[in-house]
Amino acid sequence: MELAHSLLLNEDAYSQLGEVQKAEFIFDWLRYLEKLLLATNRSDVKEKQKTLVEQLLSLLNSSPGPPTRKLLAQNLGILYSVGDTFSVYETIDKCNDLIRSKDDSPSYLPTKLAAVVCLGSLYKKLGRILGNTFTDTVGNILKAMKSAESQGRYEIMLSLQNILKGLGAAAAPCHRDVYKAARSCLTDRSMAVRCAAAKCLLELQSEASFMWSTDLDSVATLCFKSFEGSNYDVRISVSKLLGTVLANAIISKHPGKAASRQSMRRASLEEVLELLATGFLRGSSGFLRASGDMLKGTSSVSRDVRVGVTQAYVVLISTLGGAWLERNFAACLSHILSLVSQSHPKVTQTQSDAVCSRRCVSFILRATIGGLLGEKAQIAAAKDICQTIWKLKKVVDAVMSDGNSETRLGSTDVAASQHMLVCALQELGNLIHSLGTTAAPLLQDSSAGVLDSVVSVILHPSISVRLAAAWCLHCIAVALPSYLTPLLDRCLEKLTVLKSSPEAVTGFSFAVAALLGAVKHCPLGIPHGKGKIIMTLAEDLLCSAVQNSRLSAQRTQAGWLLIAALMTLGPAVVSHHLARVLLLWKCVFPVSPKDLETEKSRGDSFTWQVTLEGRAGALCAVKSFVSHCGDLLTEEVIQRLLPPLPCAVDLLTQLSSILKTYGSPLKTPSVVYRQRLYELLLLLPPATYEGNLCAILKELAADLTAPDIQVAASTFLLPPLCHPDDLLLLSPLLQETDHRFIEEQLMFSNSIACGSLEYDPYSVFENDVEGDSVPKPLSPTLSVISSAVKLFGVVCAHVGEAQRLLILEQLLDSIKHTKGARQQVVQLHVVSSVSSFLKYVAGSKGNLGPEEMRRPALALVMGALESPNPLLRCAAAEAWARLAQVVDDGPFTASLAQVSFDKLKSARDAVTRTGHSLALGSLHRYLGGISSQHLNSCVGILYTLSQDSTSPDVQTWALHALSLIIDSAGPLYYMHVEPTLSLTIMLLLNVPPTHAEVHQSLGRCLNALITTLGPELQGSSTSISALRTSCLLGCAVMQDNPDCLVQAQAISCLQQLHMFAPRYVNLSSLVCCLCEILLDNSMLVNLCSPYLLLRRSVLACLRQLVQREAAEVSEHAVTLAKDSREELIPGNSFSQDYLQLKMIVLILNLNVLIRVFKTKFKSQYIISLKSATRDQCYQLL
């Protein structure tokens, strides 16, 4: 490749290469040329410019791939900007002629696309120097777009963006034409085209004032339509466009004559917010359609639209800035909370809609208040939130004081205020939690009345509000531990005094439980005697529950909730009350099956509701005891715990008959009881309920195949059963992002609610909540399925072989005997359970059993491998390998591999090919190299599939499987390294950037190949040198990829190369590249990349570089700082301070920075560097 390092293309060396090597040679030359042109004397460039232009233009006809044509275009732009521009018009004409060509063959498409990209680069670099030629160019490009396929539309949008960027205001004659074309692309069926169109429009709006004036409504409606059926990247791009346009509508000063300024009035804040609210409430449909849907009772707003609009709210406020938010906070808070008010009942008409809408509102508040305001402004914001809570409480108090109980209970004011209060309370808790001890003056300010306002709404009629208030108190106690004991005393006193009020009993028991959950976060804890007080109060509530039927359910729940929360204080406290807890646990269940039969014959619906509530609470209390007090689980205690278990299982087997007798009121309590029992059994050793294993297994099978189950939620069942690396094949929704809090609701259908605190009040004291995040338990219907799947794996592994075979065949039959959507639900549950079983057996080094056990297990997994659900295929591939692992028989493993070989050879559909490709990769992951013959066969088949350009999904899965095989084969794979690397580079240079998922899999392959080569990459032989050069070239291609996850793969590969062959990695360019991704000089608040995974890759790489070559990294960073300082805004002193700060942090405090990124930047909960002082910045870091 050294022959490629010259100003002119070495045509002699080029002509002697093969096709793949030619592509590599050209790409490497263009990379070198880009750097050389900027460093070469201008006169030398002019001397060879004519020849160089001819060579570059000749490459247009050589079908350059996407990375090559991008470099080619950049070099042309640099060449004409450094040298003469005499021939640039000929170049433009030639590119236009290539675009006008009538040749529509696939082989000519790369040439057309290269011409489009070149035009964009030329106008971006030269701008107004090119005169009025842009009108013909833009017209030609727009005409070509009418017949272009998705790749063409994608490149045309990006090219138009570059043209607009280069020309600025001079492109005004073409603004309307570009706008019209980009509008159609913003709702394109290709997600990549939508993203490109959003970028084009974002560039256009900076000069085209009509977008944020006369056409503002049209632009907003267009963005709402673009959100329909969108993916994560589209929502990021379009929300940025919409938020920026709306911000300009508020703040921009319109240029031009006085008359034009008068005709284009600035939009008011109220108008802009109302426009966004329209999208949030009605979606992309027009007013008439939305009104019709409202009358029919159907929802017209899909969740992806609502999530997209939510992100647009954040972009709008972030663009306007922290100072603006501080001035307009009251108006913004009122508007945002009104999105879930009684004015818009459609948003909260169902539990699912309410939960999702509340989550969107909470995200807006957290991302803006937590991300843009300094401490002083946050304290002021907290006071405003308290005032809002007081106002909402007064509305509720006025309604509740009404003497007419029917009016009181049915009031829409009470029902609607609950969602506003929940959002306000959660944000207040998050705000105080993030402020920490600096929030002390806020709580001490009697005029704000923070504690009084929170405690007052604990009596709200809505359980959601009571739980939100309890969680808010939890956050206050964690932030300010000195308030923990006084708050606990206050709530215990209220609970004792107001025991006759149902709202007070549940509300203050929630509060006490939440405060007990905060004790583990407070170093000094609480006085030892508080445990005795709480235990006595819990006993009193349980004993008095039968005295008043109006309070039975509330007191029963409150008593067991307090006991369960008390368990979190640990063995030191619980040991003093253990005897009383065990006695209560024993008394809550019947002594014998005969007593249970007696209960069934004499109870009524209400009695059973209270009974099931009490027994579910008791099970949860024991679960909490087992989880938090493991040191107390002596043999004696276990023997005292066990007697009620058989009775609990007996009741489980009787629930279906009880439900038939007493009807639907018992449906939810029975589901919760099942959930609690399954969760407890998961924590206990199977030997403790050995006598009930068969009965439990039958109930689990019945739950998983019940005819009334209509919920198919693969996104919460299957990810734990898949290998974490395989989840990269699937949606970004399954990965960690900055928007995970709202994006995860899109994993469920519109009829299924995402997690929320009211679904499980017992989660209010759990300790698995991260930071200030509110607990988000799933609904009981989903939770019981999840628990059943996990427990099935444990129980099925411990029953007898005959019973195991019987249950597997029963599950197989249950799938066969159902049809349509119902069959998909059953298959999902069954395959999840079998996968859980195989995973448990493999983890415990067990064995599947006799040969007859293999047939039903194999049939179950085989069917899922060819499921249209990609997540189910992913789990099935994992189960396929686990099955081979637990059978532990060479011929059987070989037969599984052969099945996949045969399927891949004969099948033509993408579903079968993807499933069995991953199955082969999973087999190698768990069983290593099966045999050299099978390794050769696998590699050959996956090579073929990875080149199937007609199906990007097949390419993605085949390449991912190939990366697994490379990893697992180790030295055995060495003979395949060279052809695999050639294949990888060839695909990297030719696969369109619109297929980002293929590039991500290619990155994993390259990473695995680098690991396989290892320290040998340091060698100086010709073959090793060629392999090393190819690896570096592959990294360079991925670094230039527009997809952030591909860039993350490139950084990971460079990190590996730096570890194995450090002297061959250009540290200067790498450090500069990493800094540019991590910190964006043009935006002093936001990180450049919206992808958390990319930022983490950057930090991981920087940490390795600093640990190994600190001096060199420091030198390159200082150089970058000097270069960057020249580009900062003149007169902005804080810009230089900020640059110095970020470089110091980057070099000297990297480990601290990593912790900040993981805890603060992950959800954008950061203090704005724009509005903070230097001391505050240092304090943050």
Side-chain angles (χ1 to χ4, degrees):
M1 285 296 175
E2 287 75 10
L3 296 174
H5 295 173
S6 59
L7 185 61
L8 295 176
L9 176 64
N10 189 333
E11 296 181 358
D12 292 336
Y14 174 73
S15 62
Q16 297 173 16
L17 300 173
E19 287 303 315
V20 176
Q21 287 74 26
K22 281 184 177 180
E24 292 185 36
F25 189 88
I26 290 296
F27 184 83
D28 197 52
W29 173 62
L30 290 172
R31 280 181 64 221
Y32 181 79
L33 180 63
E34 184 179 20
K35 298 173 185 176
L36 191 62
L37 284 173
L38 296 172
T40 304
N41 187 282
R42 188 183 292 264
S43 59
D44 294 337
V45 172
K46 290 180 179 180
E47 182 183 340
K48 298 182 179 179
Q49 182 172 353
K50 182 178 179 181
T51 306
L52 192 52
V53 168
E54 291 174 355
Q55 288 183 334
L56 290 173
L57 291 179
S58 68
L59 294 178
L60 286 175
N61 294 311
S62 63
S63 298
T68 306
R69 64 177 174 246
K70 182 179 177 183
L71 272 177
L72 171 61
Q74 289 172 351
N75 277 297
L76 272 173
I78 295 171
L79 177 59
Y80 280 115
S81 65
V82 172
D84 292 325
T85 58
F86 298 135
S87 65
V88 69
Y89 302 103
E90 295 177 15
T91 302
I92 291 174
D93 289 341
K94 179 168 183 178
C95 290
N96 279 319
D97 290 340
L98 291 173
I99 295 171
R100 291 190 191 99
S101 173
K102 301 296 183 181
D103 188 347
D104 292 329
S105 63
S107 60
Y108 188 72
L109 177 62
T111 298
K112 273 190 175 181
L113 295 179
V116 169
V117 176
C118 286
L119 286 174
S121 180
L122 287 171
Y123 281 95
K124 178 183 178 182
K125 201 71 181 175
L126 302 177
R128 301 185 187 188
I129 296 175
L130 299 177
N132 291 327
T133 59
F134 71 88
T135 53
D136 293 334
T137 298
V138 171
N140 186 32
I141 291 177
L142 293 179
K143 184 178 179 181
M145 199 184 80
K146 294 178 181 178
S147 59
E149 38 61 70
S150 60
Q151 269 192 77
R153 296 194 298 274
Y154 170 81
E155 294 291 6
I156 286 171
M157 283 294 107
L158 294 182
S159 183
L160 288 172
Q161 178 198 8
N162 287 331
I163 292 172
L164 292 169
K165 185 179 293 185
L167 292 171
C174 296
H175 281 173
R176 279 289 178 183
D177 293 332
V178 173
Y179 174 62
K180 183 179 178 182
R183 279 180 61 92
S184 64
C185 287
L186 202 61
T187 53
D188 197 276
R189 64 178 181 273
S190 167
M191 296 298 115
V193 175
R194 291 194 199 186
C195 289
K199 292 175 183 176
C200 179
L201 286 171
L202 185 63
E203 187 63 42
L204 178 64
Q205 63 84 36
S206 61
E207 297 293 343
S209 59
F210 62 83
M211 286 184 64
W212 30 262
S213 55
T214 55
D215 284 24
L216 182 62
D217 289 1
S218 176
V219 170
T221 303
L222 179 66
C223 290
F224 300 153
K225 288 180 179 177
S226 183
F227 288 135
E228 288 277 5
S230 60
N231 62 11
Y232 178 66
D233 292 320
V234 171
R235 287 189 290 278
I236 290 288
S237 300
V238 177
S239 63
K240 184 177 180 181
L241 166 65
L242 179 56
T244 306
V245 168
L246 292 175
N248 280 337
I250 295 174
I251 62 176
S252 289
K253 296 178 180 178
H254 302 288
K257 298 178 181 179
S260 63
R261 288 202 299 271
Q262 292 173 3
S263 62
M264 294 190 298
R265 69 179 184 84
R266 184 182 301 179
S268 67
L269 173 62
E270 291 74 18
E271 290 171 335
V272 166
L273 292 178
E274 190 59 35
L275 196 56
L276 270 180
T278 302
F280 190 87
L281 302 170
R282 294 181 188 153
S284 59
S285 58
F287 176 77
L288 291 176
R289 180 183 158 192
S291 302
D293 288 339
M294 286 175 136
L295 292 173
K296 291 185 286 187
T298 58
S299 177
S300 59
V301 186
S302 62
R303 286 187 185 175
D304 40 17
V305 174
R306 195 159 280 165
V307 169
V309 174
T310 300
Q311 294 179 18
Y313 268 107
V314 176
V315 174
L316 166 65
I317 299 172
S318 299
T319 304
L320 294 171
W324 179 92
L325 177 60
E326 193 173 346
R327 292 193 305 270
N328 297 275
F329 181 75
C332 288
L333 177 66
S334 175
H335 171 82
I336 293 167
L337 290 179
S338 72
L339 295 175
V340 287
S341 71
Q342 70 269 24
S343 304
H344 312 297
K346 191 66 183 173
V347 177
T348 57
Q349 69 173 357
T350 66
Q351 179 77 349
S352 171
D353 288 335
V355 169
C356 293
S357 298
R358 287 204 312 255
R359 188 173 283 203
C360 290
V361 167
S362 294
F363 180 82
I364 298 171
L365 293 173
R366 189 83 293 263
T368 53
I369 299 174
L372 296 173
L373 299 181
E375 286 180 2
K376 184 178 178 181
Q378 286 184 346
I379 290 173
K383 292 180 180 179
D384 284 341
I385 294 173
C386 285
Q387 291 301 313
T388 301
I389 293 172
W390 278 116
K391 291 176 184 176
L392 293 170
K393 182 184 177 295
K394 288 179 181 178
V395 173
V396 176
D397 289 343
V399 176
M400 297 304 292
S401 62
D402 190 339
N404 188 336
S405 61
E406 292 184 5
T407 304
R408 183 169 69 235
L409 295 176
S411 171
T412 56
D413 289 335
V414 174
S417 70
Q418 64 174 313
H419 304 299
M420 299 174 71
L421 277 169
V422 168
C423 296
L425 287 164
Q426 288 182 355
E427 178 53 30
L428 180 61
N430 288 333
L431 196 49
I432 294 174
H433 186 282
S434 64
L435 286 169
T437 53
T438 55
L442 172 66
L443 297 180
Q444 293 163 4
D445 186 354
S446 58
S447 63
V450 175
L451 292 179
D452 290 339
S453 65
V454 176
V455 172
S456 67
V457 292
I458 287 179
L459 296 174
H460 193 279
S462 166
I463 188 174
S464 302
V465 175
R466 298 199 289 271
L467 279 166
W471 183 254
C472 186
L473 291 177
H474 169 96
C475 293
I476 292 172
V478 172
L480 298 156
S482 60
Y483 281 82
L484 176 56
T485 301
L487 282 173
L488 195 57
D489 289 337
R490 184 173 180 177
C491 293
L492 287 171
E493 181 185 356
K494 292 280 188 181
L495 184 55
T496 305
V497 173
L498 301 174
K499 281 194 294 186
S500 59
S501 166
E503 291 83 6
V505 170
T506 56
F508 285 105
S509 65
F510 293 157
V512 172
L515 291 169
L516 289 174
V519 172
K520 55 185 161 288
H521 301 291
C522 303
L524 298 179
I526 56 175
H528 193 72
K530 297 299 177 189
K532 183 178 180 180
I533 296 172
I534 293 169
M535 187 66 208
T536 303
L537 182 56
E539 280 184 311
D540 182 46
L541 287 168
L542 291 173
C543 294
S544 62
V546 296
Q547 297 173 3
N548 187 338
S549 60
R550 188 175 66 90
L551 294 166
S552 295
Q554 288 84 1
R555 288 182 177 177
T556 301
Q557 182 193 54
W560 285 114
L561 177 64
L562 292 178
I563 293 173
L566 186 66
M567 299 297 110
T568 63
L569 299 182
V573 175
V574 175
S575 59
H576 299 283
H577 315 292
L578 185 56
R580 295 158 72 183
V581 173
L582 291 174
L583 181 60
L584 289 171
W585 160 245
K586 180 181 178 181
C587 294
V588 79
F589 284 100
V591 178
S592 65
K594 185 178 179 181
D595 293 337
L596 179 59
E597 290 296 329
T598 305
E599 279 186 351
K600 284 178 60 179
S601 61
R602 69 184 183 193
D604 58 19
S605 178
F606 176 74
T607 305
W608 271 109
Q609 286 184 56
V610 177
T611 301
L612 290 176
E613 176 68 51
R615 291 177 184 174
L619 291 167
C620 192
V622 176
K623 173 199 163 192
S624 183
F625 169 70
V626 174
S627 299
H628 299 97
C629 304
D631 293 344
L632 297 180
L633 283 173
T634 62
E635 194 65 34
E636 178 188 354
V637 172
I638 291 174
Q639 291 305 315
R640 294 179 65 184
L641 271 177
L642 293 183
L645 264 184
C647 299
V649 175
D650 286 341
L651 177 56
L652 176 70
T653 61
Q654 300 291 327
L655 278 181
S656 56
S657 62
I658 294 171
L659 192 59
K660 287 179 182 177
T661 304
Y662 299 106
S664 57
L666 291 185
K667 187 170 183 180
T668 299
S670 66
V671 170
V672 172
Y673 177 84
R674 286 179 182 275
Q675 175 195 345
R676 301 297 185 208
L677 180 56
Y678 293 162
E679 289 172 348
L680 174 59
L681 293 176
L682 276 168
L683 290 177
L684 296 174
T688 57
Y689 50 91
E690 192 173 7
N692 302 101
L693 286 174
C694 291
I696 294 169
L697 191 60
K698 288 179 182 177
E699 289 300 315
L700 291 171
D703 282 343
L704 296 168
T705 59
D708 59 335
I709 294 180
Q710 300 297 328
V711 176
S714 57
T715 43
F716 80 92
L717 276 180
L718 295 177
L721 301 172
C722 299
H723 195 281
D725 293 345
D726 295 344
L727 293 178
L728 297 172
L729 289 169
L730 307 170
S731 168
L733 298 178
L734 295 169
Q735 300 165 23
E736 201 168 1
T737 66
D738 292 325
H739 305 90
R740 179 69 184 265
F741 184 72
I742 51 170
E743 288 284 334
E744 65 184 2
Q745 62 186 285
L746 300 178
M747 296 190 295
F748 304 98
S749 66
N750 274 4
S751 60
I752 304 174
C754 45
S756 184
L757 189 55
E758 64 258 37
Y759 287 132
D760 184 5
Y762 286 81
S763 64
V764 78
F765 61 81
E766 290 295 341
N767 63 350
D768 59 350
V769 177
E770 188 173 332
D772 54 2
S773 173
V774 181
K776 300 182 287 290
L778 295 171
S779 67
T781 307
L782 298 179
S783 295
V784 74
I785 295 296
S786 179
S787 301
V789 165
K790 295 174 187 174
L791 185 59
F792 182 91
V794 178
V795 174
C796 191
H798 288 87
V799 296
E801 292 177 350
Q803 182 68 21
R804 190 185 305 168
L805 177 60
L806 185 65
I807 209 73
L808 289 176
E809 290 179 341
Q810 179 184 330
L811 293 177
L812 184 59
D813 291 340
S814 66
I815 296 176
K816 293 178 180 178
H817 296 155
T818 51
K819 302 294 181 184
R822 169 86 191 116
Q823 186 182 54
Q824 294 177 14
V825 175
V826 173
Q827 184 186 34
L828 169 64
H829 294 169
V830 168
V831 173
S832 300
S833 305
V834 173
S835 299
S836 176
F837 161 63
L838 293 172
K839 185 176 182 179
Y840 180 85
V841 174
S844 58
K845 308 297 182 184
N847 195 281
L848 182 65
E851 283 194 27
E852 54 266 24
M853 204 84 70
R854 301 176 187 178
R855 185 193 60 80
L858 190 59
L860 285 167
V861 178
M862 174 78 84
L865 268 179
E866 299 172 13
S867 166
N869 183 342
L871 192 50
L872 188 56
R873 293 201 300 277
C874 197
E878 178 82 357
W880 187 260
R882 293 288 191 183
L883 179 60
Q885 192 179 18
V886 298
V887 170
D888 195 21
D889 178 63
F892 179 73
T893 302
S895 69
L896 290 184
Q898 192 60 49
V899 168
S900 291
F901 290 154
D902 295 340
K903 286 282 186 180
L904 290 172
K905 289 175 182 176
S906 61
R908 290 293 174 265
D909 61 295
V911 168
T912 304
R913 287 184 159 195
T914 53
H916 283 280
S917 294
L918 186 56
L920 285 177
S922 297
L923 278 175
H924 280 267
R925 172 195 280 144
Y926 286 108
L927 301 169
I930 300 173
S931 70
S932 59
Q933 180 184 354
H934 277 102
L935 178 62
N936 294 336
S937 301
C938 284
V939 172
I941 290 174
L942 295 177
Y943 269 16
T944 303
L945 294 176
S946 63
Q947 298 176 70
D948 181 7
S949 59
T950 62
S951 176
D953 283 344
V954 172
Q955 285 184 287
T956 302
W957 288 58
L959 287 165
H960 178 72
L962 186 60
S963 71
L964 299 181
I965 292 174
I966 298 170
D967 266 333
S968 60
L972 293 176
Y973 198 83
Y974 197 82
M975 61 183 293
H976 301 286
V977 166
E978 189 174 344
T980 305
L981 189 54
S982 296
L983 173 70
T984 303
I985 300 300
M986 186 264 290
L987 291 174
L988 280 172
L989 290 172
N990 289 284
V991 173
T994 51
H995 302 322
E997 65 279 6
V998 180
H999 284 274
Q1000 291 166 21
S1001 288
L1002 286 166
R1004 289 190 284 274
C1005 279
L1006 183 58
N1007 205 323
L1009 288 168
I1010 293 171
T1011 305
T1012 299
L1013 289 168
E1016 291 188 30
L1017 286 165
Q1018 298 179 32
S1020 56
S1021 65
T1022 306
S1023 59
I1024 291 295
S1025 179
L1027 291 172
R1028 184 174 57 244
T1029 302
S1030 293
C1031 290
L1032 288 168
L1033 188 141
C1035 292
V1037 174
M1038 292 193 295
Q1039 278 183 290
D1040 286 338
N1041 194 285
D1043 184 76
C1044 290
L1045 296 182
V1046 177
Q1047 294 174 35
Q1049 287 286 349
I1051 292 168
S1052 178
C1053 291
L1054 286 168
Q1055 194 175 348
Q1056 291 282 83
L1057 282 168
H1058 180 263
M1059 182 169 62
F1060 294 129
R1063 67 193 183 97
Y1064 295 101
V1065 176
N1066 188 331
L1067 203 59
S1068 174
S1069 63
L1070 178 56
V1071 171
C1072 292
C1073 172
L1074 296 177
C1075 293
E1076 286 169 3
I1077 292 173
L1078 191 60
L1079 300 166
D1080 181 13
N1081 290 339
S1082 64
M1083 297 173 64
L1084 301 182
V1085 179
N1086 299 319
L1087 293 171
C1088 183
S1089 168
Y1091 268 91
L1092 177 66
L1093 294 180
L1094 175 56
R1095 299 200 301 271
R1096 284 185 174 173
S1097 295
V1098 169
L1099 286 169
C1101 187
L1102 277 173
R1103 180 167 57 179
Q1104 177 179 308
L1105 297 179
V1106 168
Q1107 288 171 343
R1108 187 163 183 166
E1109 298 174 80
E1112 290 85 345
V1113 173
S1114 173
E1115 182 182 340
H1116 295 314
V1118 169
T1119 303
L1120 178 64
K1122 290 178 180 178
D1123 294 340
S1124 300
R1125 188 176 292 115
E1126 299 173 1
E1127 301 172 8
L1128 290 170
I1129 304 169
N1132 189 346
S1133 60
F1134 182 74
S1135 297
Q1136 295 189 13
D1137 293 340
Y1138 169 73
L1139 183 59
Q1140 293 167 6
L1141 169 69
K1142 71 184 183 183
M1143 288 305 164
I1144 290 170
V1145 169
L1146 190 62
I1147 300 166
L1148 304 177
N1149 296 319
L1150 197 56
N1151 289 325
V1152 177
L1153 183 61
I1154 289 169
R1155 288 198 295 274
V1156 172
F1157 266 72
K1158 286 184 176 179
T1159 58
K1160 299 288 183 184
F1161 292 165
K1162 182 172 69 174
S1163 297
Q1164 299 180 344
Y1165 301 168
I1166 59 174
I1167 297 175
S1168 167
L1169 294 180
K1170 201 178 249 182
S1171 60
T1173 65
R1174 187 188 304 183
D1175 291 340
Q1176 287 174 326
C1177 295
Y1178 278 113
Q1179 183 181 6
L1180 167 65
L1181 296 169

